[in-house]
Amino acid sequence: MKLTTAGESHGRALVAIIEGLPSNLEIDVAEIDSYLSLRQSGYGRGARQKIESDRVQILTGVRNRLTLGSPVTLMVENKDYKNWEEFMSPYGADVSKRRLTRVRPGHADLTGLFKYDQTDARNILERASARETAVRVAAGTIARQLLRALGVEVTGYVQSIEQISDERRYSFDEIAGLKKYDLFMPDEGLRAAARKRIDEISESKDTAGGILELRVRGLKSGFGSCMSYSEKLDAHLACALMSVQAIKGVEVGLGFEAARRAGSLVHDQIYYRGGAFVRETNNAGGIEGGMSNGEEIVLRAAMKPIPTLMRGLDTVDFDTKEACRAATERSDVCSVCACEIILESVLCFALAEKVLSRLGGDNMREVKERYDRLPR
C-alpha cells in the first residue's frame, strides 16, 4: 500500500492517492470527517481553524461505500483559497504580494530557499506547512477502518504539555474515550493546569509543545522482520511518526528509560501458562527484534513548540541580509491535540502497510481469512 499527498497550505485543495487497498473495504465517510474535525480541535488553536471546516471528498476508487481495488483519491478543500487565489493561482498570480523573505527559525524557509533555488519562502512554506496533514488524517482513517476489520485498534492521549506531565500509567480502555476533553488528558486537574499554562504562553506570544502516547491493541505477532533490518516494525513506525511536522523524538515501550535501568528491570520475562506463552510486563512496547510480539504496541512522540511565534524570533531578511524579526502568519499557541490525531492516523497507515505487505490479498475476504489463520 502506498500513500502520495499533494497540495499547498493556501492552494485550492489537498489531495491524497492511496494505492494498494484491497477491494470491498467499507468506507465510513462520517468517521473520516469526525477525525478531520478532531484534528482541528484542542485548546490553544489559531484563527485558521475558524476558517476551515474540513470535509473529505472521495474522487476515485470507491463505489457504494466499498473500495474497488483501484487507487482511492481523497480531497480536502481549502476554503481559504478564495482569499489567496490572486497570489497562489497556478494560471497566473501576483507573486510580488504575500512574498516572504524574513525567514523563520525552526521552519523549512531558509534551507528550502537554497535547496529549491527560490527567493520567496512562500514557495517553501506552503508545502512544508502542517496543513498538509489534513489529507494524511483522511487516508489514515481509511487505514484505521481496514485495521478495525481485522480486530486491530489504535488510540492515544496527551501525556504532557510543556512541563505539565501525567506520569500515571493508563489502560487502553481508559484512554480510548479521552477525545471528548479539549486537551485529551485523563486527569482533570492537569487539564486545568495545562489550560492555564497555555493562556500564559499565549499572553507572552510564545508557543508550547508536548508528548503524545499512542497504543495499538489486537495486532498479532510477527509483523515486521528480524531478518531484513529495513523491514523492522519499530523502524517503520518511528519513521512514520517522525515524518509528521514538529516531531523531534520517538520512543518505543520504555524508550530512553531503558537506558537508565539494569537489564533485569527492562526485559519482559516469558512464562508458559494455560497453554500459552505470556509476559507479565510490556517494557518492550509490543515490539521485540523488530517484530510485533502480540502485546500492546506503546509509542511516544515528542512535539516541539510551533516555530511561528506571534512575537517573532531573531532572523535575517533573505533579500537584504539585514537583521530583523521573523515573519508571522496565523499560528496556534498549542496544537498538541491536533498532533495526537495526526500521529494516530499516520500510525494506522504505517501498520496497514505492514499488514498488507505480509498478508497480500486483493480483497478484504482474503485479507481477513489470512489474518485470522495467523497464530497469536
Side-chain angles (χ1 to χ4, degrees), residues 99 101-102 316-324:
R99 191 165 175 265
T101 59
R102 291 183 291 151
V316 174
D317 187 289
F318 188 77
D319 280 352
T320 67
K321 312 302 185 290
E322 294 178 353
C324 62

Side-chain angles (χ1 to χ4, degrees), residues 276-296:
F277 293 96
V278 297
R279 298 168 179 83
E280 293 181 345
T281 58
N282 187 26
N283 295 330
I287 301 175
E288 292 177 306
M291 301 172 292
S292 60
N293 64 12
E295 304 291 335
E296 273 190 20

Side-chain angles (χ1 to χ4, degrees), residues 65-267:
R65 297 187 294 276
L66 296 175
T67 57
L68 301 173
S70 56
V72 171
T73 306
L74 309 174
M75 183 178 78
V76 176
E77 181 184 1
N78 286 330
K79 293 183 173 61
D80 201 21
Y81 178 67
K82 64 180 182 294
N83 299 315
W84 285 79
E85 186 171 7
E86 67 173 295
F87 320 116
M88 293 294 298
S89 173
Y91 305 108
D94 187 349
V95 297
S96 66
K97 294 181 179 178
R98 303 294 176 96
R99 191 165 175 265
L100 192 146
T101 59
R102 291 183 291 151
V103 291
R104 301 163 300 167
H107 279 278
D109 297 358
L110 182 59
T111 301
L113 285 172
F114 290 124
K115 178 177 174 64
Y116 295 103
D117 192 22
Q118 300 286 343
T119 58
D120 179 2
R122 172 76 50 202
N123 293 336
I124 309 302
L125 69 90
E126 285 289 332
R127 179 59 184 165
S129 167
R131 174 69 185 150
E132 174 266 348
T133 59
V135 284
R136 281 207 266 176
V137 169
T141 307
I142 288 180
R144 184 191 297 270
Q145 292 168 4
L146 185 152
L147 294 171
R148 186 186 299 126
L150 304 179
V152 181
E153 301 173 89
V154 176
T155 192
Y157 74 107
V158 174
Q159 186 184 64
S160 71
I161 292 177
E162 207 198 39
Q163 299 296 319
I164 300 168
S165 182
D166 190 340
E167 300 304 321
R168 261 191 66 190
R169 298 292 93 193
Y170 297 95
S171 70
F172 188 99
D173 289 329
E174 284 178 311
I175 64 178
L178 293 176
K179 304 301 190 297
K180 62 186 177 183
Y181 299 120
D182 58 2
L183 285 174
F184 301 174
M185 299 178 79
D187 187 282
E188 183 178 354
L190 291 176
R191 287 199 302 273
R195 282 193 293 270
K196 181 180 178 183
R197 181 61 185 139
I198 291 170
D199 289 342
E200 293 170 351
I201 292 169
S202 177
E203 288 177 9
S204 64
K205 297 184 178 180
D206 214 327
T207 58
I211 296 175
L212 307 312
E213 182 168 299
L214 307 170
R215 304 277 190 87
V216 181
R217 181 170 69 180
L219 184 69
K220 293 186 177 183
S221 64
F223 289 93
S225 176
C226 63
M227 302 298 183
S228 176
Y229 291 105
S230 63
E231 296 300 317
K232 288 168 67 78
L233 180 63
D234 41 3
H236 182 67
L237 300 184
C239 178
L241 299 185
M242 287 294 295
S243 75
V244 175
Q245 294 88 336
I247 297 302
K248 302 302 287 185
V250 173
E251 292 184 330
V252 182
L254 283 179
F256 284 96
E257 176 61 25
R260 293 186 281 267
R261 296 187 183 185
S264 60
L265 301 176
V266 171
H267 303 294

